[in-house]
Amino acid sequence: MQRLETLRRQAYVIRLTIAQLLVALVGSLLALVAAGNGSATSVALGALVAFLPQVFFVQRMAIFKQRAPASQSALRLFRAEAGKFGLTVALFAVVFITVPPSNPAFFFSAYVAVVLMHWLAPWLMPRKLRNLSR
């Protein structure tokens, strides 16, 4: 049987992922309506540059597995965070070299919106799971 902490982490990651994807979808649709295809593409690219490193981090941290000893967890955290930062830099470079955003304001707005979902994600947790962590 899984520990409560593992279940809490899984619920948090799943809700955060859904929220980030919804922000990307709504942002793309609003940009499409407001400014056209180029801006919608810029929003989608900005959201992907923020979202893909997050997926990498979750996978490297093995959040959906049982908790490891503290020494392994700390090492995994540093490696995952370094990889996430490197992937973010690489994705920015790839996007700006291969497909320059037609509207950088939409690109960076989408990037910031997806990244800031971490601040709003605790409100997405059910009260029952939020209270277990106290």
Side-chain angles (χ1 to χ4, degrees):
M1 187 167 153
Q2 291 182 330
R3 293 177 50 189
L4 246 30
E5 179 63 22
T6 304
L7 292 174
R8 190 184 68 75
R9 282 185 286 153
Q10 288 175 352
Y12 175 81
V13 169
I14 290 168
R15 284 181 172 78
L16 175 63
T17 302
I18 291 169
Q20 287 176 326
L21 291 174
L22 282 174
V23 165
L25 179 65
V26 169
S28 293
L29 291 175
L30 288 174
L32 180 65
V33 170
N37 286 340
S39 295
T41 303
S42 293
V43 169
L45 288 172
L48 276 176
V49 168
F51 183 71
L52 291 179
Q54 176 64 25
V55 171
F56 172 82
F57 181 83
V58 167
Q59 187 271 332
R60 291 293 293 173
M61 282 297 296
I63 288 179
F64 290 105
K65 296 180 182 170
Q66 291 291 335
R67 177 171 269 176
S71 61
Q72 286 182 346
S73 293
L75 184 60
R76 246 190 339 210
L77 173 68
F78 289 127
R79 286 182 178 167
E81 192 60 42
K84 180 180 174 182
F85 179 74
L87 184 58
T88 302
V89 170
L91 287 173
F92 268 112
V94 166
V95 165
F96 281 112
I97 290 171
T98 59
V99 189
S102 64
N103 193 334
F106 280 102
F107 175 83
F108 286 110
S109 296
Y111 175 80
V112 169
V114 171
V115 168
L116 289 182
M117 284 308 298
H118 287 284
W119 289 3
L120 302 175
W123 289 335
L124 301 172
M125 291 296 294
R127 185 170 299 282
K128 178 180 171 186
L129 287 176
R130 264 189 278 159
N131 291 338
L132 290 176
S133 62
R134 293 180 188 164

